[in-house]
Amino acid sequence: MTSADSTSADIVILGGGSGGYACALRASQLGLSVILIEADKLGGTCLHRGCIPTKALLHAAEVADAARDSGHFGVKASLEGIDMPAVNSYRDGVVGRLYKGLQGLVKSRDVTYVEGYGRLTSPTTVEVDGTTYTGRHVVLATGSYARSLPGLDIGGRIMTSDQALNLDYVPNSVIVLGGGVIGVEFASVWRSFGTDVRIVEALPRLVPAEDEAISKAFERAYRKRGIAFSTGVRFASATQDDRGVHVTLEDGTTMEADVLLVAVGRGPRTEGLGYEQAGVAMDRGFVLVDNYLQTNVPGVFAVGDITPGLQLAHRGFAHGIFVAEHIAGLNPRPIDDVTIPKVTYSEPEIGSVGLTEAQARDKHGDDNVTVYEYNLGGNGKSQILATTGFIKLVQLKDGPVIGVHMIGSRIGEQIGEAQAIVNWEAYPEDVATLIHAHPTQNEAMGEAHLALAGKPLHAHA
Ligand SMILES: Cc1cc2nc3c(=O)[nH]c(=O)nc-3n(C[C@H](O)[C@H](O)[C@H](O)COP(=O)(O)OP(=O)(O)OC[C@H]3O[C@@H](n4cnc5c(N)ncnc54)[C@H](O)[C@@H]3O)c2cc1C
């Protein structure tokens, strides 16, 4: 079906971030008419304030580390300093080119793009500046915002990732509140740029969503890099003045720094958008959906960060594509968060997919889980890069590999094969028959599976 005019369509999508625009592109590919409504910039958080700009900063950080550590490789170079405005303009160049490309893509796909702030006014209508857009289906994709804590106001030296991304100087010292993925990535960038960094995490370990062995190795690596952290302790209060921010923890510890980054998670952007009034069931602001990403209101779907679960751009893409294909009647396979690959792009990097060892033991019982760690010490390319780390496999006893967890410089690049292994429910013997190029870090994936299949090559039995 194609719409008769520009205010009605098969699908009206509210929000043009990863979830919303992926849905729009796939739906139009399938011959559905689409109206895509975006209040700010097409591309959303990931392109403008998330994945892409932070990874550009992390790459600049890697270049700084390479200059600083060049002597290790016999190369005479030195790090003279960080020109933050120049770093920012490199980052903006990357974002700008991708933004232009995305705008062109949406234009070329015959999507009706509406610029403006929308509100759901009924299960089939969204209103923008007095105009009503009607869809046979409505997809809610309004994304997320950086949360703070009660009593902690954002402003001045106290900032979220939104402001931290746009600093035009390198702070001398930073306190990072939150040792999850966003917090540790910023900590990594700043440390590489020469900042004194301290992370405060309320849970017992950094990157607490990862396998415990990964957290431990990560903490060791951060300690070695001179990144300080306090875990298992909660934030109590913060004040700021001309000299800096002054933070007190619940155990009475006080600390000071130039800047406080609040990285305590992201909340769903769903307030005041008419969702509840239209009868959409919510839980603490998140939109509840079934396996088909449909809300309790027939015809209304929700994708991406506003649904409970992992907040990742590629999950948003997958959600958007799923909903488009479901509406088009293609019967796509529902998306399970446990199958979604995750990468933390710090130095060192973390890549993981599937169940952690603890989750696997919980779900399948201690006797039914086998675990193997392949140390990157035996991997030629990792030695060349001067990185340490490991690949940990979690296997259902005599069965498929159900979790892959990795740590080391650049190891996130190995997530592709890891997710194929877990999602195809490969047995170690299956992977052991595949040939991995030498010398690559990817080889470590092959070696880990060779070992688990009982025929280790560059590893002790
Ligand atoms: C610092 C940081 C780093 C990150 N790094 C990564 C990473 O490396 N990899 C990764 O996978 N994920 C990363 N993420 C997460 C990723 O950005 C999000 O998971 C992803 O953007 C979610 O997509 P979404 O479509 O659900 O929401 P969003 O991208 O937030 O898009 C929602 C869109 O809806 C629009 N909108 C909201 N309300 C309205 C309204 N009423 N009317 C019209 N439009 C509206 C917003 O303007 C926005 O453009 C990062 C996030 C942050 C903050």
Side-chain angles (χ1 to χ4, degrees):
M1 178 181 146
T2 316
S3 67
D5 63 67
S6 59
T7 56
S8 68
D10 293 324
I11 310 185
V12 170
I13 303 169
L14 185 57
S18 309
Y21 82 69
C23 186
L25 292 175
R26 184 68 183 123
S28 74
Q29 229 168 39
L30 292 168
L32 297 165
S33 57
V34 182
I35 294 172
L36 177 63
I37 301 166
E38 169 57 52
D40 189 6
K41 282 184 180 163
L42 179 67
T45 305
C46 175
L47 178 55
H48 301 285
R49 294 177 300 282
C51 328
I52 299 297
T54 51
K55 267 78 257 180
L57 293 189
L58 278 151
H59 182 64
E62 189 182 339
V63 173
D65 287 339
R68 188 187 287 110
D69 301 338
S70 56
H72 178 82
F73 304 95
V75 175
K76 290 184 180 174
S78 58
L79 179 63
E80 286 177 20
I82 307 295
D83 176 353
M84 210 52 214
V87 171
N88 289 343
S89 93
Y90 145 72
R91 176 207 62 197
D92 292 344
V94 173
V95 172
R97 283 187 295 279
L98 292 172
Y99 183 35
K100 216 164 161 197
L102 182 61
Q103 286 171 307
L105 202 56
V106 165
K107 209 172 267 169
S108 74
R109 290 281 178 85
D110 205 21
V111 169
T112 302
Y113 185 70
V114 177
E115 247 177 54
Y117 190 85
R119 266 188 101 255
L120 190 69
T121 43
S122 82
T124 53
T125 53
V126 174
E127 195 184 302
V128 182
D129 297 330
T131 303
T132 296
Y133 296 89
T134 307
R136 282 200 301 127
H137 307 273
V138 172
V139 178
L140 309 176
T142 44
S144 60
Y145 66 93
R147 269 194 173 127
S148 187
L149 295 175
L152 186 55
D153 294 330
I154 303 302
R157 295 173 182 274
I158 301 177
M159 54 188 73
T160 69
S161 60
D162 290 346
Q163 296 82 35
L165 259 176
N166 289 312
L167 285 185
D168 58 2
Y169 64 95
V170 178
N172 287 322
S173 56
V174 173
I175 298 165
V176 177
L177 200 53
V181 56
I182 292 177
V184 300
E185 287 190 0
F186 272 95
S188 190
V189 170
W190 274 320
R191 187 65 195 135
S192 297
F193 286 173
T195 304
D196 276 337
V197 181
R198 170 172 286 278
I199 305 171
V200 177
E201 167 59 51
L203 291 172
R205 52 192 170 96
L206 295 183
V207 285
E210 297 293 341
D211 188 279
E212 201 169 338
I214 296 286
S215 279
K216 280 203 180 114
F218 188 80
E219 290 182 353
R220 269 197 305 278
Y222 263 31
R223 227 175 263 128
K224 209 166 150 200
R225 289 189 63 194
I227 297 174
F229 53 87
S230 312
T231 52
V233 57
R234 299 172 76 90
F235 161 87
S237 64
T239 57
Q240 59 177 309
D241 56 31
D242 290 350
R243 289 179 297 114
V245 282
H246 313 275
V247 172
T248 305
L249 306 184
E250 276 188 355
D251 65 3
T253 310
T254 58
M255 48 186 79
E256 296 188 353
D258 289 348
V259 162
L260 173 64
L261 172 69
V262 183
V264 294
R266 296 183 61 82
R269 205 182 295 130
T270 52
E271 213 182 300
L273 298 180
Y275 296 177
E276 276 124 326
Q277 291 86 332
V280 175
M282 323 258 288
D283 179 24
R284 280 164 283 187
F286 286 96
V287 177
L288 298 176
V289 287
D290 62 15
N291 277 347
Y292 301 95
L293 300 171
Q294 186 158 207
T295 68
N296 61 315
V297 178
V300 178
F301 294 79
V303 297
D305 283 9
I306 58 170
T307 65
L310 292 174
Q311 292 175 316
L312 290 169
H314 43 285
R315 175 176 177 262
F317 297 147
H319 275 184
I321 292 168
F322 177 91
V323 168
E325 293 186 347
H326 178 69
I327 289 172
L330 295 190
N331 201 20
R333 200 164 80 165
I335 296 154
D336 181 356
D337 269 11
V338 88
T339 64
I340 295 176
K342 307 181 293 271
V343 176
T344 303
Y345 299 84
S346 43
E347 171 50 44
E349 286 188 349
I350 297 170
S352 63
V353 57
L355 298 181
T356 63
E357 181 180 347
Q359 288 167 339
R361 290 191 187 285
D362 251 21
K363 185 167 175 196
H364 299 289
D366 279 341
D367 294 342
N368 296 317
V369 174
T370 307
V371 169
Y372 179 78
E373 273 184 28
Y374 180 80
N375 196 301
L376 294 184
N379 175 250
K381 186 59 190 262
S382 297
Q383 284 295 321
I384 290 164
L385 293 173
T387 187
T388 56
F390 58 85
I391 295 182
K392 173 173 175 174
L393 304 180
V394 180
Q395 180 199 12
L396 205 52
K397 195 164 185 208
D398 301 324
V401 174
I402 52 176
V404 178
H405 307 275
M406 314 178 279
I407 183 164
S409 301
R410 299 189 184 178
I411 204 74
E413 298 295 337
Q414 305 312 320
I415 198 67
E417 188 178 12
Q419 72 121 347
I421 290 167
V422 170
N423 283 303
W424 264 325
E425 300 176 0
Y427 281 53
E429 294 77 11
D430 299 327
V431 185
T433 64
L434 303 174
I435 298 169
H436 294 77
H438 176 75
T440 59
Q441 282 186 298
N442 182 240
E443 218 179 350
M445 190 69 73
E447 295 266 2
H449 286 84
L450 279 169
L452 204 49
K455 43 181 182 177
L457 182 59
H458 297 103
H460 296 283

